[in-house]
Every structure is written in C-alpha cells, then in structure tokens.
Amino acid sequence: MSDAKRTPLYDFNVANGGRMVDFAGWEMPVQYESIVEEHKATRTAAGLFDVSHMGEVTVKGPQSEAFLNYVLTNDVSTMDDGKALYSLMCQPDGGVVDDLLVYRMAEGSYLLCLNAANAVKDVAWLEKEAANFEVELVDVSEKYGLVALQGPKAFPILKGLSSVDLSGLGYYRFVQGEIAGISCIISRTGYTGEVGVELFVAAEKTAELAEALFDAGKADGLVLAGLGARDSLRLEAGYSLYGHEIDEKIGPVEAGLMWTVSLKKPCDFIGKEAILSKKQSGPAQKIVFFKTGGRRIARPGTEVVSGGAAVGTVVSGTFSPILNEAIGSALVDAAVAKSDELAVDLRGKAFPIERARPPFLPLNPQA
Amino acid sequence: MSIPADLKYTKDHEWLKLLDGDEALMGITDFAQNSLGDITFVEVPEVGDSFSAGESFGVVESVKAASDLYMPVDAEVIEVNESLEDSPESVNSSPYEAGWIMKIKIADSASLEELLDAKAYEEIAKD
C-alpha cells in the first residue's frame, strides 16, 4: 500500500473511519461503517462518495470535436455547452479501451473523466491518436478532486449550499457554480441509479467541500459511502464496470452498449468497422444480468452452466441489500443468452439463476 | 475489539464456549466479523454430521468475500443456529451471542489443548 496514491480526501476518509484498501493503485475507502447500510442510505437518503481517483483530461483546440468523434464511439457533435455524454473509447477490433464521460465546456474545449485504473493507458492512447489533429491534451487528474452526492436527498441538501439554482439542471447537464462557497463543476450524473450530482473541485478544496456537504447533509440522513456500496449500487442499476462487463475483449455488441455507439455519425471512428461487422454477424458471447434467488454471491470467475455444460463466466456479483438476494452479471455464449435454464456452479453445486433486465429495481435518476 | 475471557479461540478466528458433557458452542470472533464486513450468508452443516479437526465445515460470506470455516477439534454437530438463515447479520452485530453458528459434541477432548485462550488469541487478532 505504501506506493498507492492518495486522494485529496485521504485524511477525511481515515478520520471518518474509512477502511482503506488498494484500488487501481489508490488508497480508497471500501467502506466506512457497513457496505449494506451505505447502500441503503444512498437509496433512501443520500451517500457521499470520494471518487477523486478518477482521471481527468482536457481536450482543447479547433479540431477537438473532430478528434473526439474519431476516438470515441458516441456522437460528440450532438453536444452543446453544458452537456455531458457517456461514451466508449474502442480499439480497432471493437474491444474497449475505456468508458468515460465527455463534458463540453465550450466550443473546442472538453473535459474527459476516465476510470482510475485506465487513466495512464487512456492518456497514452489519446496522445497517440491526437497526432493527426490540431488538439492539445492535458492530464489534469492531479488538479481535480471529485465527489459524488447521490440519493433522493441530494438536491435538498445542495439547495442551501449552492450559489446557482439547480432545480432546472437536466440529467447529463452541468453548470459551473459554488457549493458552500467553493467553485465546482456541478454535473447531474452518477453511478448509482439515484438522482444526484458529481462535483469536480480543485484538489486543495476537496476536503473543505466534503466537510461542508457532510455537515449539511447529516440531518437528512447523508452517510459517507465507499467503493463497496458504489459497486453494489451500480450493479443494481445495471451499469457496466470496466474490467467486468466491458474490457479489451468485451465490446459494445457483447455488452449491450450499442446505445453508446453512433453508427450514424458522419465520420469514421476507431472500431466502427469491427463493431458494425460484429453487430451484423452476431456476437459469440453476450453479457446477461441475473438474480440468484438466494443469499450466496456468485463472484467473478464463477462458472455458468447449462444442462451440465460450461457456457460462461460470472463477471460481477454482489448482494443486493434492497432485493435481499445475490445478483450479478455474466458473459455467456450467445446461444444461451435467452435461456431460462442457466445455473452458477458454487463449490461444485449448480444453483439456478434467473435472467433479469436491469435495473434490478425501479430507479429513475432523471426524476 | 471484543475477546471475552471465558472463551477458547482458534488461529482461524473462531471461538468455542465449552459447556458440560464435552459440548461446545462455536462461532466466529468479533475480529473475524469485522474483517469480513457485512455478512450475507452462513453455510452451516447438517445436525449429525461429523468432522475431523482441520476439516472445512461451512462458509461465511460477506459482501466482500467468502471465508471457509474450519473445525478445530474432532466433533459431531448437534445443533445449528437456524436463525442465521434469515438473519446472518446477527454474526456482525452479536458474534458471541445471537450470532453463534453451531453446537458440537467434542469426540476427543485431548485436542482442546490446542485451542488458544483469550490472551493468546489477542496476539493473533492484532491488526
């Protein structure tokens, strides 16, 4: 752990009982009190998450839009100022380099938010591809802290702290404003399936912001929530996590993420040909989500079986504190992706699973 | 970290409460439940099953991890805590009382000498 990096909230996390673990080279809180309680509190009140480990890169210059539309699968040209967009960044073979958020700050000026585990790889990838474009890339990961405030009480908590009226802020829109007097990018995005915001803030102001939010939100039931709850919340919501539902081998066709791929945009983009071809021929494997009906978690690596034959592998598994049962996702042979006869092999015994269409419970982060 | 003085312990973070007639209650320690975090499932053996010392007899699963349970002595299972099926979280909230896992009949009481007392266990349970 000694080589692991620390976010600007390291002291705050430790002081508040965060149980620190190594995650993608960062010392991050996996939980404070209890993953289950942090999960429930985020669904019923609000959770505050340190996600400062995420990477940030600015893309500026006259060809920024053209560049991003070439390296990303989604259509950046549809964005106006103040818009956030989820996209994949793919390899020529259609595998995923990373999934990320693009923020359009102004014409010819964008901010990318990257997975911590991929940030170094992404920057190298972007720099290589940028050679033919008139753009300037700057890795600003060290300059930003990032906290996510998620849950039905997120906006009531922000109301007394925000310098700008957030009532009209649409889903996947952002504004510049002050929260508790601290300048932030206030983005109506998140990874929990709840209403909420993600706040980009200067690294040196992140702890002050977190303290202010925590103090203001306690009365409304706000709790600090760690990576454990972040994972169980995102899986309940059916959101993909890099290294699980998507990776260099599992692309958008397999993962059911074709909504993030604009095959219609009037330009070529990396991976287009391979993705199109796989879409037409059909993928060999698909990601499916499932419920177990029991409390035993089928963890990543668990074999999926059908009629005694191995047909796939679990890629995510957790316990849903809301459904009170174990849920997960698996990469299975396309031929059985709609089968009702799937089971997971737990310690040599087959437990039937039930396919589920996420979200696993009614969620409306756009409400 | 609670380590009651009247219990015996194993290096695998289990506790035994010795009762009359070579019987004992078993569970996992406060240290173990705290390390595992939110416990979601406890697999217990069937009443009547016998195990040798060192054999795995069940599993405790938390959101984070699954951990095998090991029998510290040769013994037969004479009762299991059935409430854990619906409320495994009582292992977190009450590891030495409501969260007991099973009652055993010890076949070979000589092996009890291998168990640790609270003081010796405290050394192991240090972070």
Side-chain angles (χ1 to χ4, degrees), chain A residues 19 21 30-31 33-37 228 232 294-299 317-319 321 324 346-347 351, chain B residues 34-41 43 56 58-59 61-68 85-89:
Chain A
R19 192 173 292 181
V21 300
V30 64
Q31 67 177 63
E33 296 286 332
S34 146
I35 293 173
V36 167
E37 294 309 317
S232 54
R295 302 183 65 100
R296 305 197 68 162
I297 298 172
R299 295 177 199 273
T318 194
F319 182 76
N324 223 22
L346 296 175
R347 294 169 178 261
F351 288 80
Chain B
N34 186 52
S35 305
L36 283 164
D38 300 279
I39 290 167
T40 53
F41 178 78
E43 182 191 77
S56 168
V59 182
E61 285 206 22
S62 70
V63 177
K64 281 187 289 189
S67 181
D68 282 301
E85 197 177 325
D86 291 328
S87 311
E89 64 276 6

Side-chain angles (χ1 to χ4, degrees), chain A residues 250-303:
Chain A
I250 315 173
V253 183
E254 290 87 348
L257 290 177
M258 286 306 289
W259 62 273
T260 71
V261 180
S262 173
L263 292 168
K264 284 187 194 152
K265 64 179 170 179
C267 65
D268 190 24
F269 61 91
I270 301 175
K272 180 177 182 179
E273 208 175 307
I275 292 168
L276 192 58
S277 144
K278 190 169 282 182
K279 183 176 177 256
Q280 284 162 350
S281 64
Q285 293 178 299
K286 279 186 179 170
I287 293 288
V288 295
F289 288 83
F290 64 84
K291 299 199 268 191
T292 65
R295 302 183 65 100
R296 305 197 68 162
I297 298 172
R299 295 177 199 273
T302 300
E303 198 168 77

Side-chain angles (χ1 to χ4, degrees), chain B residues 64-92:
Chain B
K64 281 187 289 189
S67 181
D68 282 301
L69 295 167
Y70 295 99
M71 194 67 99
V73 296
D74 294 353
E76 180 191 340
V77 179
I78 55 175
E79 193 180 340
V80 296
N81 184 353
E82 286 171 0
S83 75
L84 296 184
E85 197 177 325
D86 291 328
S87 311
E89 64 276 6
S90 59
V91 177
N92 289 120

